[in-house]
Amino acid sequence: MSKKYLYYFSEGNDAFGGDKVTMKNTLGGKGAGLAEMTAAGMPVPQGFTITTDACTQYYADGRQINDEITADIFEHLKGLEEITGKKFGDNQNPLLVSVRSGARQSMPGMMDTILNLGLNDEAVEGLAKKTGNARFAYDCYRRFVQMFADVVMMVPKSLFEVEIDKMKEAKGVKNDVDLTADDLKELVGTFKKIYEENEGRPFPQDPRDQLIEAVKAVFRSWDNPRANVYRKMNEIPYEWGTAVNVQQMAFGNSGDRSGTGVAFTRDPATGAKKLMGEYLINAQGEDVVAGVRTPSPISHLKDQMPEVYDQFVEIATRLENYFRDMQDMEFTIEDGHLYMLQTRNGKRTAQAALQIACDLVDEGMITEQEAVLRVEPKQLDTLLHPQFDAAALKAAEVVGKGLAASPGSACGQIVFTAEEAEEMVKSGKMKKVVLVRLETSPEDIVGMQVSQGILTVRGGMTSHAAVVARGMGTCCVSGCGNDNEVKIDEEAKTFEINGHKFVEGDWISIDGSTGNIYGEQVATVAATGNKNFNRFMGWADAARQLLVMTNADNPRDAQQAVDLGAEGIGLCRTEHMFFAEDRIKAVREMICARTVEEREAALAKVEPFQQGDFEAMYRIMGERPMTIRYLDPPLHEFLPTKDEDIKELAADMGMTFDDLKNVVTSLHEFNPMMGHRGCRLAVTYPEIAAMQTRAVIKAALNVSAETGHVITPHIMIPLVGEVKELKFVKDVVVKVADELIAAAGVDMKYQVGTMIEIPRAALTAGEIAKEAEFFSFGTNDLTQMTFGFSRDDAGKFLSYYYDKKIYESDPFAHLDQNGVGKLVAMAAKLGKETRPDIHLGICGEHGGDPTSVEFCHKVGLNYVSCSPYRVPIARLAAAQAAIKHPRAN
C-alpha cells in the first residue's frame, strides 16, 4: 500500500517526527492525544487509529472501505490481539473494542461511537465465564446491541429505551444497575428481536462484519445532519474527514470498584485553576452523557478510591503541563485500575478562555503571543452582547431557526413596522419590542434603533437588516423564511412560523448568535465587563500589523467603536444620515426636482445637516482617519411605494399625487442594485457630490480650528468600474475642496479614493489607481457581482448548496478566497504597481470575519473595517494572522 492509513497508538507519536500539526491532521485530535499519552507511558487501553485520509478515501470510493484498507484493519487487529493477549470474537477470552470518531478539531457529541464491539451469543458466555460476572457480560451485550442498531443501522434508540423502562417497572427497580443478569439476558433477546423486525435480518454474529460496519458508520457520521450544522457553525471544512479509533475496551461497568467519568484540569466556565469533573460508579461512558443516573463530583473519588484519585490528579497535572493548556479528559476505572481514554484541549467559555490565557502566561507556561492564539476571536462576541439567562433558556421552546446575523439575545413584544416600534417605545406602551419584518429598508433605521432585536423573513448575512444591526450592536436573526414554514402579513399584523401564530404585542425571543427563535418571553442578562479583556487585547494589538477600523454612520456608533479599540472609520455611509425626520423632506425635494436649480436649492437645505453630522463624528475621531462614502443607494429607496403614502407625501410637498407617482414610477428599476446608484448618481447629478464635498471639507475645517487636530478627510467614490467616471467625479470634488481650503487660508490635506466593488474595477485597478489614492474593497457587492446572485435572495437556495457540498459556507459571511479573493489580491497588486503608497483596505462585512481578516493580512492590505461590536474580533483575528503569517512591515 503506497499510503499509510493506520497507526497503532504506540507508533503514532514517533511516526510524525515531532510534527504535531501533521499528526493531529492525520490521526485526528483524539488519535493524536492517545498516541502522545501512550508515548508518555500513561495507562491507555491500546488500539489503532484509522486516519482522516482513510475517511476521505471512503467517500471517494462511493462510501465503501476498499479492500486494501479493510485488509490493513484486520492486520492491525491481529497486532492488537498480540498486545492484549485476547482474541477478537473468541468464546474463551474475547477482545472487545470501542470504535470512536476523532476529527482534527473537537466536535463534541456530533459523531458516533460504538462500545463493546466483538460480542455475540458465544463471546458473551465466554466473557461471563472469564470474569465470573454474568451480569456484567450481559450488560455489555445489551448495550452493544442497542448502540450498534442505533448508530450503524439507524434503528430508533427509543424502541430500546421503552423496553428498558418496561423491564425496570416490572422488576420494581429505579436504575439500570439494579437489573439482574437474567433481566439483562432477557433484554438482549428483546433487543435482537427489535433489530430483526426493523432490519429484516438477525443481529450480526461475525465480529469482523460488526467492526467494518461500525467503522463505516463512524465515517458516515461525518456527514450526518448534526455534524454538518456544527461544521458550518465552526467553519470546519468538509474535506477534512474524521479519523476512527479502535481501542481495547476498559470496563467501567464491571462492579463497584469500576466507573467512568469526564474531568477538566480547570473550570471550563470560569477558568479557575481547579480540577473539576464528574464520574459514575459501575457505568460506561454513555451513562454520564445520557444522564441515566446523577454523577458524583470528581472530588468524591478521593474517598471511594483514594489511590486512583491520586493517580488521576498526577496524570491530569502531567497532561496540562505537556500540552500547556486546559485539558478535557475521559477516563475509566476497571476493578480499581485507572485507564485514560482521551485528552484534548477543552472547550471553554469566553470568560474562561481569557482567564486561562492570562493565568498560563503568569504561570510561565506560555508566552503572550501563544496566549493570543488560545482564544477564538468569535468568542469575544459573548463578552459584549446581552445573552439569555441559562436557566430560563432550558425551559424555552425553539419554534424556528434563521440566520445568526448579529450576535446577542433579545426578548420583546412583536411590532411589524419601524413606525410602530418607535411609537410603542416612545409612548411607553411597550418597554421592549422586537421588529418583525419581511425585510428591512434604510427608512426603517429609527425603528431598528429602538428595538431590542430584529427578525426578518427574507435576507442573508449581508442583508440590510443584518449589516445595520451589527453596526448598532443589535441582535438580529435574518432569513427565517429560508428553511421554515413562514407566513407574514404586516398589514394584518400576524406572523406564523412552523404552525406557531403570533400577533402584534405577543412576546418573542431571538438569539442572534445561534439563529434560534423562541415563541415566548425568555429572560436576558446584560454583558458583564471582563477584567482580563484589556490586558489580553493589549497583547493582541502588540502582535498585529493590520489596522482595524470601523463602519460607523453616526456619533453613537463612532464612540462605541473607539471604546472598543477602533483606529478610525473605514466606512461612513452618508445615505443613512438622510433618513432623519429633519432632512428627509429636503432629500425628497431634491429627488423630485425638475431642474438643476431646484435640485441645488433642495441640497442647500440638506447640506448643514450633513455638515453637522460630520462635525460631530470628527470631534469623536480626533486625528483618526474617517473615510466618507458618497451617496450610494438608488434614489427610489428614499421615496414611498404605497399609494396612500405617496398621496400623503405629495400633499406635504405641494405636488399632485400624479406628479409624485410619476417620479416614483420613473425611478423603478428591474435590478436597482446594479442600476442608477453610486458614482452614477454623481455623474448624472454632479451637484450631489459638490454638496457632500462642501459638507465634508467645511466640517473638517471647523473641527480642526476648534480642536487643533490635524484632520485629513478621506472621500470615497462608490461603485466605480471605469477610471474615467472616477476622474469625472473626482474633478468635481477637487474643485470644490480646493476652493474651500484656499478660502480658509489653511494647508489641509485630503484624499480621494474609491470602493472596489465591481469586478471590472478589480481587473482595471492599475488604471484606476492613477486617480485613486486609496482602495477600499466593498466585498459585499463584489461578492454579489462575482457570484452573480443577490445577497438578499441567495438564502432561498444556498442551503441546498451546503447540503450538496457545493459551497462550504455563506460567501457573504466568509470571503470566497478562490474567486472574490483573487480579485482582491489582483487589484491590490495592480494598485501598488501604479501607486506604491496606495492605502488598501476592506470595508464589507468580511472585515469582521476572522478567516477573511487572515486573508487580508496575507495579501498585504493595510486595514480592515467592520461593525463596531466586531472590532475586538477583528483585532484578535489580525493578531493571530500576524503571528501565524509574519510579514515585513
Side-chain angles (χ1 to χ4, degrees), residues 413-437 442-454 493 504 579-582 584:
Q413 292 174 271
I414 293 175
V415 293
F416 289 93
T417 70
E419 292 79 11
E420 287 166 348
E422 185 181 16
E423 179 189 339
M424 292 298 180
V425 172
K426 279 188 175 179
S427 67
K429 291 178 183 177
M430 297 180 186
K431 290 186 177 179
K432 294 182 177 181
V433 299
V434 170
L435 179 61
V436 179
R437 300 279 280 143
E443 58 188 314
D444 291 330
I445 188 71
V446 177
M448 294 171 76
Q449 282 181 324
V450 300
S451 299
Q452 299 295 308
I454 299 150
K493 300 181 179 179
E504 185 177 76
F579 283 99
E581 289 181 14
D582 55 2
I584 187 63

Side-chain angles (χ1 to χ4, degrees), residues 8-21:
Y8 289 109
F9 299 162
S10 56
E11 67 174 325
N13 195 53
D14 293 335
F16 293 89
D19 183 354
K20 292 184 183 297
V21 173

Side-chain angles (χ1 to χ4, degrees), residues 716-733:
M716 183 157 67
I717 312 301
L719 212 74
V720 165
E722 160 61 49
V723 67
K724 292 176 184 176
E725 63 184 341
L726 173 59
K727 185 176 188 314
F728 178 89
V729 181
K730 181 182 176 182
D731 287 346
V732 173
V733 171

